[in-house]
Every structure is written in structure tokens, then in C-alpha cells.
Amino acid sequence: MPDRLLVTGGAGFVGSTVAFGLKRQYPQARVICLDNLRRRGSELNVQRLTAAGIEFLHGDVREPSDLASLAPDLIVECSAEPSAQAGYSSSPKYVVDTNLFGCYNCLELARVSKADFIFLSTSRVYPVQLLNELHHVESDTRFRWTDNQPIPGASSLGISEEFPTTGVRSIYGMTKFAAELMVEEFADAYGFRYVINRCGLIAGPWQMGKADQGVMTLWLAAHHFGRPLKYIGFNGEGKQVRDVLHVEDLTSLVVKQSGSMNAFDKQTLNVGGGLPFSLSLRETTAVCEELTGHRIPITSEEAGRKADIRVYLSDKRKIESSHGWKPERDPRTTLSDTLDWIKRNESQVADCLFN
């Protein structure tokens, strides 16, 4: 069992939740969260972390000196600029420096300390054009993939680990895919254990959602606070579909991996809610209206954005069959849990999301 655990991006939405889960599992262990607090709202987690007995270190994965004094035996690499739109309207420097060179610095630390390495990657490593070329049908509320697909690794159940990774995927996706390759090479060269989790859409309490990342929280908060929204792309009808993974279900997986690294070593796994836990934006609107009792104006913009995807679903059969993990909380539960959190922290949430 690990005694010294480092969570990078540890004051962020995913990183902080994972850190709490690890501290619950290993109450005697030293858990350190490193974060540069760049993401609005991450500063709110610092007091929560320290109150739970977790050490907070204000630092940056882009700076090797911020990592040099640490000697973990497990690194959970959650740090990221997570937006698929990152770098398109401005310089890509921050997303490349953080996601690629930041991961390199974490791997250097793993090399020196021989630490196990859990890397949170993304479904965005899969090429956009290939995903959008998959056969689909359209219903009143969503797009659906069919079983008969022209590309291996795709079916109505989603994208498996066999799906091709050759093609353009977004600058963000490129940085995470390149980081995956570094993880594999470093682990082979320097002899430490690793697992790569390719996560789909993650949601839940303490996510400060934006239009380009964290859309479920943004959608729910807009309904709660009476803010307008917009369906963007794919004819502006809100039929785009994502599977939804509650952050606590992801945390349960990371905790499981942390204590079973031999079983997970050298594996790359698609991690998400899958088809049964999926929603379109239009369907999300209906759930948000039901939970909040509010109906808000939603306009349409037919033209999409670069790197937009019609459908993404995680085919999670590999991780279910190999490791017995599957998510427990459906999207409605995820949204309900998030709404409870919003209600308890209204002023802070409104300030972070809308100001």
C-alpha cells in the first residue's frame, strides 16, 4: 500500500476528489496535493483539503523545482488544461507546457523516486474526424451510433481501446496522447508501474463548469440561476451525446488501482459511463428542468466549433471484464448531487461560473 501519495492538479475538481478518496482509503498515509490554482474555484478546495489532513503545496508541474523535493511512492497525474478548445483562439503554449511538459516533469519525479504512476488521460486522444464519420441515426432527442461501423473498435456501445489513434484530435488531445506515449516509454525504460485511464465526460460536485469543459455543471447551474444557454453545432438542436461519469465513481477506480498496481500495470483503459449512462444536451435540459423547476431560454447556433464531436461513448467492457469496475451513479444522480452542492454554495458557484 502506498505511504506517500502525490496528486497533481490536486486542488482541481478531479484531483481534489481523488485526494479525498485516497486519504479515506489510507488515513495514515501522507497525501500531498500540488496545484497552481490557475483554474477559477480551485482555491476553494485548499481549506477543504487541509481540514481532511491532506497537505497542499502551491506549485506548478511546469516547474521541475516545485517537484524536486518530493519523494512519493505513488503519483496520480491529474494536472491539465482540460479544454478541447484550448489553443485555437490564442497561443497553445499553456496547454502544451502543462499537459505535455508538465507530465514529463512528473515522469522525471517517478523515475527518480520509482513511484507508481496513474495517469488521467482523455477520450480526446481519439481522432475527431474518425469519430464524426461513424454511422449514426437521429431520433427526436439524440444522435445514436449503430452497430455496423466502418472502423474497428466502434459500436453502438461506444469506443473501445481498439479504436484507431491516427489522425487529428485537437491540440488538447494531442498533448494528452503524447503524454501517454511518454508514460509508456518512461515506465519501460526506468522500471515503474503505470496505468492510463482514458476518461470521458466527468461531472459532479465541485466542478466549476464552462462551455468548453464541464458542460453538465454549467447546464445545471444555468437552469438554477436562470441564465440563458445555447445549443452549438450539429444544426443547433442539442442532440450531441456524451456518457457521464460521476467523479466519485472515477475516484473509486483510482483508489482500487492504487492498491492493485500489479493487476493494472501497463494497461490503457477506456473509463466512462457508457451508453446506459449517457445524455444528449437536449435530454440534459429536460433533467435540469425537472430537478430545478426552472425553464430558461436556449438559443441555437448551427455552426460548430473546431474539434466538436457528435457522439462520444466509452465502451467500458474491457475494464468491467478484467477488473470488475463499473460506475454506480447514473446521470440523474450525478446532476442531483451537483445541484445539492450548488444550493449549499450558491454565491461561490455563481461567482466562479458567471463572473
Side-chain angles (χ1 to χ4, degrees):
M1 298 297 178
D3 294 318
R4 302 179 309 280
L5 302 88
L6 171 65
V7 182
T8 59
F13 162 55
V14 172
S16 62
T17 310
V18 166
F20 289 129
L22 290 169
K23 188 63 176 177
R24 289 192 299 268
Q25 182 70 13
Y26 310 112
Q28 302 306 314
R30 183 184 180 192
V31 180
I32 302 170
C33 285
L34 181 139
D35 201 293
N36 65 5
L37 302 182
R38 177 185 173 101
R39 175 95 175 188
R40 185 78 185 278
S42 59
E43 71 281 359
L44 302 176
N45 286 319
V46 174
Q47 185 175 357
R48 298 175 62 232
L49 291 166
T50 56
I54 297 168
E55 299 177 41
F56 174 73
L57 178 61
H58 190 187
D60 199 312
V61 293
R62 296 175 297 169
E63 297 294 337
S65 60
D66 289 351
L67 298 164
S69 64
L70 305 176
D73 49 23
L74 171 67
I75 300 171
V76 185
E77 227 288 66
C78 300
S79 66
E81 163 51 64
S83 171
Q85 298 300 311
Y88 286 129
S89 60
S90 60
S91 169
K93 180 175 174 54
Y94 182 75
V95 63
V96 173
D97 285 351
T98 300
N99 296 1
L100 187 55
F101 296 118
C103 182
Y104 164 74
N105 291 331
C106 293
L107 287 168
E108 264 290 274
L109 179 61
R111 178 183 70 82
V112 172
S113 60
K114 298 295 183 184
D116 292 330
F117 204 87
I118 299 176
F119 183 56
L120 294 195
S121 188
T122 173
S123 61
R124 284 290 186 165
V125 302
Y126 297 115
V128 171
Q129 183 175 343
L130 294 184
L131 291 171
N132 283 336
E133 287 176 351
L134 293 177
H135 296 164
H136 67 279
V137 294
E138 184 176 349
S139 69
D140 290 341
T141 63
R142 66 161 57 196
F143 298 114
R144 297 178 185 272
W145 281 334
T146 63
D147 269 324
N148 182 24
Q149 294 295 344
I151 301 173
S155 72
S156 62
L157 294 178
I159 301 301
S160 79
E161 294 82 358
E162 305 306 314
F163 196 81
T165 52
T166 300
V168 172
R169 68 208 82 230
S170 76
I171 294 172
Y172 161 66
M174 173 276 294
T175 62
K176 297 298 280 187
F177 187 57
E180 286 188 7
L181 299 179
M182 280 200 302
V183 172
E184 294 173 355
E185 293 291 346
F186 267 64
D188 179 73
Y190 306 116
F192 57 82
R193 299 177 295 186
Y194 76 90
V195 59
I196 295 169
N197 297 313
R198 289 178 175 167
C199 301
L201 187 151
I202 307 167
W206 293 97
Q207 183 180 46
M208 300 298 177
K210 304 292 183 183
D212 58 347
Q213 195 278 326
V215 66
M216 287 289 160
T217 301
L218 174 66
W219 221 256
L220 182 62
H223 279 80
H224 177 72
F225 292 107
R227 303 280 184 138
L229 290 169
K230 182 185 292 186
Y231 294 133
I232 299 175
F234 301 102
N235 297 319
E237 295 180 331
K239 295 184 180 181
Q240 303 100 302
V241 171
R242 299 290 186 274
D243 58 348
V244 181
L245 180 65
H246 196 298
V247 68
E248 291 291 353
D249 285 329
L250 173 60
T251 295
S252 71
L253 173 62
V254 173
V255 170
K256 181 182 179 75
Q257 291 170 337
S258 70
S260 309
M261 285 300 296
N262 281 337
F264 285 92
D265 189 24
K266 299 181 177 62
Q267 295 186 30
T268 298
L269 300 164
N270 284 0
V271 176
L275 178 60
F277 286 6
S278 66
L279 287 174
S280 70
L281 277 179
R282 185 172 289 274
E283 292 163 352
T284 303
T285 297
V287 177
C288 290
E289 289 177 350
E290 176 191 348
L291 291 175
T292 65
H294 299 159
R295 179 170 291 187
I296 61 172
I298 302 179
T299 56
S300 295
E301 184 176 312
E302 293 189 11
R305 303 167 300 181
K306 200 170 183 66
D308 277 351
I309 294 171
R310 179 182 291 105
V311 178
Y312 185 81
L313 303 171
S314 304
D315 183 342
K316 59 188 189 310
R317 285 177 290 181
K318 178 180 176 180
I319 193 170
E320 285 185 356
S321 61
S322 299
H323 301 290
W325 175 88
K326 61 181 179 180
E328 298 178 355
R329 300 160 180 86
D330 63 19
R332 192 183 188 286
T333 299
T334 301
L335 288 167
S336 179
D337 288 352
T338 306
L339 182 59
D340 290 343
W341 163 71
I342 290 172
K343 289 178 177 178
R344 292 194 304 270
N345 301 274
E346 280 190 333
S347 61
Q348 292 174 323
V349 174
D351 184 50
C352 288
L353 266 62
F354 301 118
N355 295 330

